[in-house]
Amino acid sequence: MAALAFVELEEGQAKKSSLEAVSYASEVEGSVTAISFGQMADGELDKIGAAGASKVLHVTDEKLATPNIMAYASAISEAMNKEGSNLLVLAKSSLGDPVAARVAIKTNAAMATNVTELPDTSDGFKVKCSIYTGKAFAITRLSSEKKILGLKKNAISIKEDGGTAEVEAFSPATDDGDFKVQVTNREKATGEILLPEADLVVSGGRGLKGPENWGMIEELAKAIGAATGCSKPVSDMEWRPHHEHVGQTGVKVSPSLYIAVGISGAIQHLAGVNSSKCILVINKDEEAPFFKAADYGVVGDAFEIVPKLTEAIKAQQG
Amino acid sequence: MKILVCITHVPDTTSKISFTDGNTKFDKTGVQYIIGPYDDYALARAVELKEQHGGSITVLNVGEAETEPTIRKALAIGADEAIRVNAFPSDAFFVAKQIASVAKEGAYDLILMGRESIDFNGGQVHSMVGELMGLPSVSPVMVLDIEGSTAKIQREIEGGKEFMELDMPFIAGCQEPIAEWKIPNMRGIMSARSKPLQVVDPTDDGVQADVEVFELPPAKEAVKLVDPENLDELVNLLKNEAKVL
Ligand SMILES: Cc1cc2nc3c(=O)[nH]c(=O)nc-3n(C[C@H](O)[C@H](O)[C@H](O)COP(=O)(O)OP(=O)(O)OC[C@H]3O[C@@H](n4cnc5c(N)ncnc54)[C@H](O)[C@@H]3O)c2cc1C
Ligand SMILES: Nc1ncnc2c1ncn2[C@@H]1O[C@H](COP(=O)(O)O)[C@@H](O)[C@H]1O
C-alpha cells in the first residue's frame, strides 16, 4: 500500500509545492507513488524520486495534457484504487483544490486542507489546519479510512535523499462527461516566479504612489530572486495585475521572507501574509500597523531605502 | 434563469479571533457577522444577471437560527427567496451534501458560491457539490457572462487566467472583480422582511473532518528596527540571524 501524491508539472517541471507533497506523504506512509500528467522534463523524475516517491504514474494521454479538473479527479481516483492508496497528498493550488474535493466525494475520503504540519497519529489521525485566513489553527480529526490532505506551502521541507523513482505509463479511463468545460485560452505570465510558490516575496502598496514607481520593487525582487506582490488598492487601481494582490481576498502567501514596502498593514492584508516565516516592513510612518506584525522594520522613505537596500544586497552577494 | 446563491455567515474581516471552552468553541463575544465577502460577490453578480436575463434568485445557507439576519441582508440586496438548512455547518462534506440536496430539488440553471468561506477557507464546497450533482464547477471566477445557455468565464490561475466556455447548469465560485458589492437600500430592507425564508431539515449527518481543538498562533516578538543609514546591518540580519537570504 502506497500513499499517492499528485505532482503538478509546470512547463514540464515538478512544482516545488508538489515535491513538498511527495516528501510529506513519504514521512507519513513510507511508500509513495506520484501521479503526473503531461510532458515531463529531463531530470524531473530524479527530483520526484529524491523527494520520496518510488514510482511515478505518468499520464501522457493527449486529452489530459492540459489541466482538466474533472478528468484529473477521475484519473486520480482510479490511481488510488489501483495502488490501494488510503492517503492522497497534494499541494493547494487552483488545480489541486478542486481536484482534491472531487476525489474526496468519489472515494468517500475525509479531507483536510491548509494543512501546516505532519499529522499526529498517536490517537487516530489528526492534522493541524490553518483557518480564519491564518489567524488560527484547527486540530482536525479525520475519521474515514481514506484521507486527503491539501498542504499549505512550507508544511514540510523537501527531501533530497529519498531514492529513485520508476516511471509507469498510466492511461486512465476517460469519460466524455469530464470534458464539459472547454478551456479556450490560457494567459500566463511566463518566466516570472509565481507568487503562491515563491520562497521570497517583495510587495508594494499605495505608498509607492503609482505604477511607474514599481521599477525599484522589481529590481529588489530580481536581486534576491523574489516574486512581486501588492496590496488590494494597488490591483484595484490596476497599477499591478490582479493575480499579484495579496491578502484576505487575494493570494495567501507563506514565504520564508515577505518584504512589504509602503503597505500600511490593514488586517485584511495581514491575513494573507501572517504565515510568512519572516516579515520585513519598510514604511515612512512608524505608527503603521504593519510594524506590529513584522520581524524587521525600517522607518523611512521607500524611494530612498529600497534602492539602497538592493545595492547593499548586491554588494554582499559579491 | 433560476439562480441559487449559497452564502456563509462569517465573522467580519476585521474580527479578532479567539476561542472559549478550553479552545473548543469560537468566541462570538463582540463579533459582528457578515455575508462572506466572496459570497457577496456571487450575490452581486446574481442580481446583475437577473437584471439582464430575468428570472429569480434563491439564497441558501446551511446554519442555525442565528444566521437569519445575514440571510435577510441577502434578501435586501436582491434575492427573491431564501432557504436555511437548519444545521450547524460542521464540515465541507456535510455542507456540500445539504446544498446538493436542495439544489437537486430546485433545478437551478446556475449555482453561485464564493471562492472560499473566510472562516475555514476550504474552497472545497463548490467542487464537492459539483461532484455530488455530476456538474462542472469552476473557481475562482473573475468574469461570468451568459449568452443563451452558454457561459463565458475567466478563472484566475497562478500567475494568470484561464478563459473557458460551458453550458448551464454548473457551479461557479466567485471572486472580484466579477461584480461590485451591493449595499441594500431602504426599499430592499423593507421588502426583505416579507420575502419567504423557508427552513428545512438536514438530510443526514455524515461528518468526516471534526475539529477537536483550536489554537492561536504564538505571539509575535517586537519588531527589530534598523537605521535607514545602516542597511548593511539589515542584510546581515536577514542572512545570518533570520537565515532567509
Ligand atoms: C472585505 C475587505 C477585504 C479586503 N481584502 C484585502 C486584501 O486581500 N488585501 C489587501 O491588501 N487589502 C485588502 N483590503 C483593503 C485593506 O483594508 C486596506 O485598505 C489596504 O490593504 C490598504 O492598502 P495599502 O496599505 O497599500 O494602502 P494605505 O493604507 O494607503 O497605506 C499606504 C502606506 O504607505 C506608507 N507610505 C506612503 N508613502 C511612503 C513612502 N514614500 N515610503 C514608505 N512608506 C510610505 C504610508 O505610511 C501607509 O502606511 C480589504 C478590505 C475589505 C473591507
Ligand atoms: N454553511 C454554508 N451555507 C451555505 N453555503 C456555504 C456554506 N459553507 C460554504 N458555502 C459555500 O461554499 C463556498 C466555499 O466554501 P468553503 O469550501 O467552505 O471555502 C462559500 O463561499 C459558500 O458560497
Side-chain angles (χ1 to χ4, degrees), chain B residues 160-244:
Chain B
K161 44 194 160 173
E162 221 168 44
F163 297 78
M164 41 182 60
E165 282 185 24
L166 74 163
D167 286 336
M168 295 194 284
F170 63 89
I171 297 147
C174 304
Q175 73 168 22
E176 59 170 15
I178 194 165
E180 298 262 346
W181 283 330
K182 299 208 171 2
I183 298 159
N185 58 24
M186 214 44 203
R187 225 180 72 216
I189 294 167
M190 297 303 286
S191 68
R193 290 191 192 145
S194 54
K195 285 179 179 172
L197 194 169
Q198 193 194 342
V199 179
V200 301
D201 286 325
T203 53
D204 63 34
D205 52 4
V207 171
Q208 294 182 319
D210 228 353
V211 176
E212 287 206 338
V213 69
F214 295 102
E215 277 179 29
L216 290 172
K220 197 103 188 169
E221 278 178 41
V223 59
K224 256 191 202 174
L225 290 180
V226 180
D227 188 333
E229 297 305 322
N230 195 4
L231 295 176
D232 285 334
E233 172 60 12
L234 177 61
V235 179
N236 180 34
L237 288 169
L238 293 174
K239 268 197 167 147
N240 302 317
E241 188 179 72
K243 299 190 167 48
V244 290

Side-chain angles (χ1 to χ4, degrees), chain A residues 101-156:
Chain A
R102 282 185 180 265
V103 175
I105 299 293
K106 283 183 196 284
T107 62
N108 206 19
M111 169 155 178
T113 187
N114 283 312
V115 173
T116 61
E117 284 177 12
L118 284 168
D120 171 0
T121 52
S122 58
D123 158 34
F125 191 101
K126 292 188 267 185
V127 284
K128 186 169 175 175
C129 305
S130 163
I131 57 168
Y132 291 106
T133 329
K135 290 187 235 172
F137 298 98
I139 310 298
T140 309
R141 177 183 291 279
L142 301 186
S143 38
S144 313
E145 195 185 4
K146 288 201 169 69
K147 299 169 182 72
I148 300 181
L149 306 180
L151 302 189
K152 210 171 155 102
K153 203 183 151 282
N154 271 335
I156 193 171

Side-chain angles (χ1 to χ4, degrees), chain B:
Chain B
M1 185 157 56
K2 276 188 83 180
I3 308 176
L4 180 68
V5 181
C6 302
I7 61 164
T8 54
H9 161 86
V10 289
D12 171 56
T13 53
T14 56
S15 305
K16 190 169 176 309
I17 304 298
S18 57
F19 303 98
T20 59
D21 291 21
N23 280 339
T24 57
K25 284 206 173 63
F26 180 73
D27 186 356
K28 295 176 187 164
T29 319
V31 170
Q32 232 194 326
Y33 281 83
I34 56 168
I35 300 174
Y38 297 111
D39 311 338
D40 231 351
Y41 286 120
L43 180 59
R45 188 63 190 141
V47 170
E48 293 173 358
L49 287 172
K50 184 186 153 183
E51 278 164 11
Q52 290 167 18
H53 303 275
S56 67
I57 301 171
T58 306
V59 283
L60 168 62
N61 169 259
V62 180
E64 293 171 320
E66 60 176 6
T67 71
E68 291 200 359
T70 303
I71 299 175
R72 289 280 172 210
K73 188 175 168 211
L75 291 169
I77 287 172
D80 301 290
E81 54 170 24
I83 301 171
R84 179 170 67 82
V85 178
N86 186 25
F88 180 75
S90 24
D91 73 351
F93 179 66
F94 174 76
V95 170
K97 280 209 285 193
Q98 307 313 318
I99 294 177
S101 141
V102 169
K104 276 177 194 157
E105 287 283 307
Y108 298 96
D109 300 298
L110 197 57
I111 303 176
L112 300 184
M113 303 193 190
R115 79 175 279 180
E116 65 179 31
S117 56
I118 64 160
D119 46 6
F120 281 74
N121 311 107
Q124 301 165 48
V125 168
H126 26 75
S127 308
M128 287 185 171
V129 172
E131 190 61 36
L132 288 166
M133 298 181 74
L135 292 178
S137 52
V138 184
S139 178
V141 173
M142 305 168 74
V143 176
L144 167 62
D145 290 315
I146 306 284
E147 283 166 29
S149 63
T150 307
K152 290 205 162 115
I153 286 181
Q154 280 180 34
R155 173 174 101 103
E156 182 158 23
I157 54 175
E158 289 78 7
K161 44 194 160 173
E162 221 168 44
F163 297 78
M164 41 182 60
E165 282 185 24
L166 74 163
D167 286 336
M168 295 194 284
F170 63 89
I171 297 147
C174 304
Q175 73 168 22
E176 59 170 15
I178 194 165
E180 298 262 346
W181 283 330
K182 299 208 171 2
I183 298 159
N185 58 24
M186 214 44 203
R187 225 180 72 216
I189 294 167
M190 297 303 286
S191 68
R193 290 191 192 145
S194 54
K195 285 179 179 172
L197 194 169
Q198 193 194 342
V199 179
V200 301
D201 286 325
T203 53
D204 63 34
D205 52 4
V207 171
Q208 294 182 319
D210 228 353
V211 176
E212 287 206 338
V213 69
F214 295 102
E215 277 179 29
L216 290 172
K220 197 103 188 169
E221 278 178 41
V223 59
K224 256 191 202 174
L225 290 180
V226 180
D227 188 333
E229 297 305 322
N230 195 4
L231 295 176
D232 285 334
E233 172 60 12
L234 177 61
V235 179
N236 180 34
L237 288 169
L238 293 174
K239 268 197 167 147
N240 302 317
E241 188 179 72
K243 299 190 167 48
V244 290
L245 273 191

